[in-house]
Structures are given as C-alpha cells and as structure tokens.
Amino acid sequence: MPKGKKKGKYEHRRTELPYSSDEDAGIDMTIDNCSETSGQSDLKSNHDDAENEAQEKQEEKVLEIMEALSARSNAARAGAFVALRAALQRRAFDTLLCSHRATLADHISRALRRGKDGERKAAAAVAPLVALQIGEEGTEEFVAEVRPALTATAADKTASLETRTECCSSLAVLCYLMEDDVTEILEVMRVYETIFSGSYLKGDGSVKTSGSAVEEGAWHAAALEAWALLLSLLAPEHARQLLRSTPPGVARLAHLLEAPALDVRVAAGPALALAHECATADDADAAPDLAPHIDALLPLLAELARDSHKYRAKRDRKLQRATFRDVLKYFEEGTVPAASVRVGSETAAWESWCGAAAYGALAAALGGALQPLALRSARLRAALALADAPPADLLQRTHKLNKLQRHLQNNAACKARTLARNKNRDKRSAALAM
C-alpha cells in the first residue's frame, strides 16, 4: 500500500457472489436480452394496466363524492360539489356519469333551490361540466331539469351576489352549448335583461350613484355578458328585430356605458359591438336604424378610451382604456381584434366579437377541462370553431397530455427497467463465478 494512505474503515470491497440457481448458470448471455419490440410491448402493457387501475381508483372516488352529495350537512354537500368539479376538470368520467345523470340532475337542482349560498354556488359551477360529460342521450333531460333552477337562482335577491353571478355565467354556457329551442333562449335573455336593467340611467338621464348599483356591478356585468353571448345564437334578421322591439335595444345598452361600476362599463362596450355585429352579419347596411345611435355614441366611446381620471384606480383605467380602444376602432374602422389560443395541440382562432365572447365564457366556466373536453365534445368544438373531429394522431397521443398519466407511464417504465437490470446482473454474476 502506498505510503501515507491508510486503509479506510468503510472502504468498499467489491465481491462477486456466485449465483445460487443451477438452472440459469449455463444460459447463454446473448439470448437474454429481449427484443426492442417486445420491450415496448411490455412497457405499453404495464402503462395500460397502471392507467386502468388509476381510472378505477378515480371512479371510486367520484362515487364516494356523489354519495356525499346526500349528506345532511350543508357544508359537506358544498364540499362534495367542489370536489366533483375538481375531479371532472382533471379526468373524463363519461361512462360513470352517464349512468347517474338523473341522480346528478336531482342533486344540482335541489341544491340550487334549497341549499345555502356555498352549496348553491358550487352546484351552479359544476353544472356545465356535468352536462358535457353525461353523453348526448341524457343532455336534454339534464338541461330541462337544471335550467329552471339556475334561472330562478340567478334572479333571486335572497342569494348572495357571488352565487347569483355564478348562476348567470353557468346558465349562459349551458344554454349556449346545449339549448336548441329559440323560445327558451329568448326567455333566459329576458331574465338577464331584468337583472342588468338595475344599471340603466334614471328616468331624468342621471347616473345611479347608490351603493347597491356599485356593489351589484359584477352581477349585472355577468348578466350582460350572458345576454350578449346568447344573442350571438340568433340569426341576423332575428337579432335586428330583437334590438328594435325588445329591451334593452341599442339606446338602453348605451346607458350602461355610463354605469358607476367598472365591470358594467367594461362589459357594455363589447356587448354593444357584438350586438351591432350580429345585426349586420349578413349585410353591413341591413340595419340603417342603428347608425344614428352608433354615431351619437362615438364621442362617449372616445372619452372612455382616453379616460384619465385620477379618482379611479390605475388598473381600472388601464382596463377601461384597452377595452374601449378596440370598441372605438371597430365602430370607426370596422376592424375587430383577432386572437388565437392553443387548445392542446390545436388552435382556436377568431376575428369577431362573438368568437371572443364564446371563448371567454367557456374558458371561465370549464377551466382546465376545456382542453380534454374539446377532444370529445362536438358541441364544444363547434363553439370554439375547431375542426369537426380531432386528428387521429392527436387522439392516440391524448394520454401524454395528462400529467398523472405521464407520471404513471414513467413509473411503469422505471419498474420494467429495474426488473430487466436486476435480471442481467444476476446472470452476469453467475457467468463470472464459473
């Protein structure tokens, strides 16, 4: 041993122990390695087994959540609705929910009618997600039972403002995607108009300055955005007739530009542009009676686009100016700000106020479930202006888009590599011992 170097107390000694099995001692090492194809097949099989096991566990959890919807405690039922919404945003349970659609519709409608604020808000938030996952066969019955409860709660003054706001947004998405009866759509639009009419100007043309007008701004804005979204479902001639003969009309929409609540003003500008776009979709000169109203609004739109009042918050001023610059440019030059958003491996693009309103409402209601649901729901794909069907290779790669599934696949591959490595080490040890 060289001078100055002492043998360490914990020095590692490499030893080769003979393999204990006499059967494998004489196996040729060249035939031990599996082929690349069989290895990939084993990994795929392990991944499929892990994925099926994970899906079964998640379905068991969803069944437990659905049982909790019948709990006696209001807080427990509210928590169950929140947990159900989180589960539906992460994974698809089409087959499971299809067999429980009547039960879910009963739970949601009962919570909206009889529950307290937390439960009502959570039930309203989960309704669009359930409607998109229960299958086409049960959609009509689900909407027919849940829609009246959402409509009543959206206008219920005894409910909290947050609950009423959530009901307005969820009801709009539900009707936009699932409702085909124009009569029902018009009825819901009338309910929305009665809600945001609270932000109209007074009879003498002055602005309402009461505290309730400001406090209810988010509720009125949600109703206004929902009304505009449903207006985009109507044919151009029907939209023109509606704006001429039925409130709010262009004149009343203009009142909302002077509302004391920022949310209402920011919602009124795009709603006014969307109403004009819907009325002139088939012909730019099809609604000459709207032109005088628009010309009279241009000075007010220009003022809102350059608002610099110091008594307003800096963020509020920036948001208002950015919104009304686009609205003013649309009415002066006829241009609409184009936008595009990645939905998984696809792109949703729009060059209209209707497209922007649809994406904003759907993204807010569905959250993280927007991307996976867009692969399976034809109604949602049509609303996002995507292709009629997703590409075949995209469907094959769907499992790579889920973080949990990627984790399970990596675990299965790591386990298979560990087993193969240990097997090769045992064979090598036996060969060296001979």
Side-chain angles (χ1 to χ4, degrees), residues 53-283:
E53 183 180 355
Q55 181 69 18
E56 291 176 359
K57 290 182 179 179
Q58 292 297 325
E59 289 181 355
E60 291 176 359
K61 291 182 180 179
V62 171
L63 288 175
E64 293 176 0
I65 292 172
M66 292 172 60
E67 292 179 0
L69 296 176
S70 303
R72 300 185 63 180
S73 170
N74 182 275
R77 294 195 300 270
F81 278 117
V82 173
L84 180 61
R85 183 172 188 264
L88 296 183
Q89 285 183 330
R90 291 193 301 267
R91 187 179 285 264
F93 300 96
D94 306 44
T95 305
L96 178 64
L97 297 185
C98 181
S99 58
H100 295 82
R101 54 177 175 258
T103 304
L104 288 170
D106 180 66
H107 282 308
I108 293 174
S109 58
R110 188 190 307 168
L112 289 169
R113 291 189 177 98
R114 305 177 186 176
K116 295 183 179 179
D117 279 330
E119 184 182 357
R120 298 171 92 177
K121 181 181 177 182
V126 80
L129 285 167
V130 174
L132 283 171
Q133 291 205 32
I134 59 176
E136 291 291 336
E137 296 181 0
T139 299
E140 185 176 353
E141 292 80 3
F142 179 85
V143 173
E145 184 170 354
V146 173
R147 186 189 61 243
L150 280 172
T151 305
T153 308
D156 187 1
K157 292 293 185 69
T158 62
S160 66
L161 289 173
E162 292 80 5
T163 299
R164 283 177 270 171
T165 301
E166 189 69 48
C167 287
C168 286
S169 302
S170 295
L171 177 62
V173 172
L174 207 63
C175 292
Y176 185 78
L177 292 177
M178 307 295 178
E179 188 59 69
D180 298 323
D181 189 353
V182 177
T183 304
E184 296 292 345
I185 293 175
L186 293 176
E187 180 63 30
V188 174
M189 292 178 68
R190 280 191 286 271
V191 174
Y192 284 139
E193 194 275 334
T194 60
I195 293 174
F196 63 76
S197 63
S199 290
Y200 289 160
L201 298 179
K202 296 181 180 179
D204 57 358
S206 60
V207 179
K208 294 180 180 179
T209 56
S210 61
S212 61
V214 178
E215 293 175 359
E216 297 177 349
W219 178 39
H220 294 175
L224 178 57
E225 291 172 348
W227 178 89
L229 179 66
L230 297 185
L231 179 66
S232 64
L233 295 175
L234 305 181
E237 60 274 9
H238 197 172
R240 288 193 292 269
Q241 181 182 0
L242 187 70
L243 291 173
R244 292 191 187 105
S245 59
T246 306
V250 177
R252 285 295 183 92
L253 287 177
H255 288 185
L256 300 176
L257 297 175
E258 302 180 60
L262 171 71
D263 294 334
V264 178
R265 294 196 303 273
V266 170
L272 191 62
L274 187 147
H276 182 271
E277 184 181 72
C278 292
T280 59
D282 54 349
D283 186 1

